[in-house]
Amino acid sequence: MASNVLDQILGRSAPGVIDEIVRIAEIPAPTSHERERAKFVHGRLDEIGGWDDLAMDSLSNVVAVRRGQAGRARLLLCAHLDTVFPDSATPVRRERGRLVGRGVGDNSTGVAAMLAVADAVQRAKPRGIGDLIFVANVGEEGRGDLRGVRRVVKDYAADFDAMYAIEGHALNRIQTHGVASLRYEVSVATEGGHSWHAYGRTNAIALLARAIVALEPLMPSPTATPKTTMNVGVIRGGRSVNTVAPDATFELDIRSVEPANVDRLLRTARTAMRQALGGEAELTMKRIGNRPGGVVPPTAAVIRAALHARKGLGLPEPEMNAGSTDANAAVAAGYPATCIGVTTGGEMHAEGEWISTKPIREGVIFVGRTIVGAASMTPQAIRQ
Ligand SMILES: [Zn+2]
């Protein structure tokens, strides 16, 4: 049976996947600078071969199209290329049962698993499945604002019925809510001047600090439901130690599983910050991110396909969670979509990021079975 052949190929691929994760992770790919990593992935897909189309678009999204049987579900399968780390030092350490390094799980593991499944499908040639569009996309993290996947969803709008995002860390989580988020750059500008000669003028850093302090009482409780968060993530400003700061900026991130909460909290925050400034300077807010949200019910076919694959492999009950992944863009555009994972690990977005290597074998089989299971359905069935 084709699915057994697929399992066998994927099972044997695990050591190769681990090496591939290291190779991918060691190619720097900060958001907006993914081109080198994209070229590597394009090269790997080219080696696998047999595609009906293989292309890289102007954003450096890499897309490989495999035509399947008409009348079966067509799937978009995305793994993001970019990492949150701004510079290029990306060494990976191999420890007992672990890989440790920046972006090793998020999302080098997702990309490597996507390549392993692409390779296995081309070799096993499972019958009775619809088109598969494999994508390694840019711009998922931070200020990338899902711009890579948004472009792919738009360009291939008529060519797929459902979407899966593949993330390295999320083996035991399945995304049911796409967390909506808004991101703003909040700035204060003043005249500034010499810290001695112009002493007494309004200091933009001091004013901005006041605005930030005014946000504190508005921060939602970590245990509130629906979960809603507000974070001050980056702060910068000023010219030198002996200058009355003429400018200061911080970046604000507001998220919720309930999209309406995001807008409400933003309005409250804006009012509180303006009041805190007491008219001493203008507060400007520039939107730098707007991630759409939406809900996919746990009973949706895309999720049932993943649960069915887990059951067959004896994987534990997953945590059904709210996430902010490439799946959000597809959900917001009206497609059923979720995010599935490959292994477990920790310290995502931190210097000590790590993944466990042992679950990778089952993880790639899980991803492969989910995809083949979903692509075997009819287009009507996968949309339910
Ligand atoms: Zn990620």
PDB file of all heavy atoms in Angstrom, residues 80 106-107 140-141 167, ligand 1:
ATOM      1  N   HIS A  80       7.669  28.191   7.196  1.00  0.00           N
ATOM      2  CA  HIS A  80       8.333  29.494   7.018  1.00  0.00           C
ATOM      3  C   HIS A  80       9.846  29.376   7.141  1.00  0.00           C
ATOM      4  O   HIS A  80      10.373  28.587   7.935  1.00  0.00           O
ATOM      5  CB  HIS A  80       7.765  30.553   7.958  1.00  0.00           C
ATOM      6  CG  HIS A  80       8.111  30.398   9.411  1.00  0.00           C
ATOM      7  ND1 HIS A  80       9.261  30.904   9.963  1.00  0.00           N
ATOM      8  CD2 HIS A  80       7.433  29.814  10.428  1.00  0.00           C
ATOM      9  CE1 HIS A  80       9.274  30.638  11.258  1.00  0.00           C
ATOM     10  NE2 HIS A  80       8.191  29.972  11.572  1.00  0.00           N
ATOM     11  N   ASP A 106      12.255  26.400  15.237  1.00  0.00           N
ATOM     12  CA  ASP A 106      11.368  27.416  14.639  1.00  0.00           C
ATOM     13  C   ASP A 106      12.141  28.217  13.596  1.00  0.00           C
ATOM     14  O   ASP A 106      12.728  29.218  13.930  1.00  0.00           O
ATOM     15  CB  ASP A 106      10.826  28.331  15.745  1.00  0.00           C
ATOM     16  CG  ASP A 106       9.863  29.368  15.224  1.00  0.00           C
ATOM     17  OD1 ASP A 106       9.344  29.195  14.120  1.00  0.00           O
ATOM     18  OD2 ASP A 106       9.635  30.356  15.942  1.00  0.00           O
ATOM     19  N   ASN A 107      12.252  27.828  12.331  1.00  0.00           N
ATOM     20  CA  ASN A 107      11.431  26.761  11.821  1.00  0.00           C
ATOM     21  C   ASN A 107      12.253  25.850  10.897  1.00  0.00           C
ATOM     22  O   ASN A 107      11.736  25.303   9.939  1.00  0.00           O
ATOM     23  CB  ASN A 107      10.223  27.363  11.086  1.00  0.00           C
ATOM     24  CG  ASN A 107       9.185  26.328  10.768  1.00  0.00           C
ATOM     25  OD1 ASN A 107       9.082  25.315  11.450  1.00  0.00           O
ATOM     26  ND2 ASN A 107       8.459  26.556   9.692  1.00  0.00           N
ATOM     27  N   GLU A 140       7.290  35.251   8.188  1.00  0.00           N
ATOM     28  CA  GLU A 140       6.304  34.826   9.184  1.00  0.00           C
ATOM     29  C   GLU A 140       6.525  35.509  10.520  1.00  0.00           C
ATOM     30  O   GLU A 140       5.586  35.836  11.234  1.00  0.00           O
ATOM     31  CB  GLU A 140       6.370  33.296   9.380  1.00  0.00           C
ATOM     32  CG  GLU A 140       5.182  32.705  10.149  1.00  0.00           C
ATOM     33  CD  GLU A 140       5.378  32.624  11.649  1.00  0.00           C
ATOM     34  OE1 GLU A 140       6.508  32.821  12.144  1.00  0.00           O
ATOM     35  OE2 GLU A 140       4.392  32.371  12.345  1.00  0.00           O
ATOM     36  N   GLU A 141       7.789  35.712  10.868  1.00  0.00           N
ATOM     37  CA  GLU A 141       8.116  36.201  12.209  1.00  0.00           C
ATOM     38  C   GLU A 141       8.012  37.734  12.296  1.00  0.00           C
ATOM     39  O   GLU A 141       8.158  38.428  11.295  1.00  0.00           O
ATOM     40  CB  GLU A 141       9.547  35.801  12.583  1.00  0.00           C
ATOM     41  CG  GLU A 141       9.816  34.305  12.597  1.00  0.00           C
ATOM     42  CD  GLU A 141       9.221  33.602  13.808  1.00  0.00           C
ATOM     43  OE1 GLU A 141       8.512  34.234  14.606  1.00  0.00           O
ATOM     44  OE2 GLU A 141       9.473  32.391  13.941  1.00  0.00           O
ATOM     45  N   GLU A 167       5.220  23.623  11.634  1.00  0.00           N
ATOM     46  CA  GLU A 167       6.123  24.285  12.591  1.00  0.00           C
ATOM     47  C   GLU A 167       6.901  23.219  13.359  1.00  0.00           C
ATOM     48  O   GLU A 167       6.325  22.237  13.813  1.00  0.00           O
ATOM     49  CB  GLU A 167       5.318  25.136  13.580  1.00  0.00           C
ATOM     50  CG  GLU A 167       4.803  26.446  13.019  1.00  0.00           C
ATOM     51  CD  GLU A 167       5.853  27.561  13.051  1.00  0.00           C
ATOM     52  OE1 GLU A 167       6.927  27.380  13.676  1.00  0.00           O
ATOM     53  OE2 GLU A 167       5.591  28.616  12.435  1.00  0.00           O
TER      54      GLU A 167
HETATM   55 ZN    ZN B   1       7.568  29.613  13.552  1.00  0.00          ZN
END
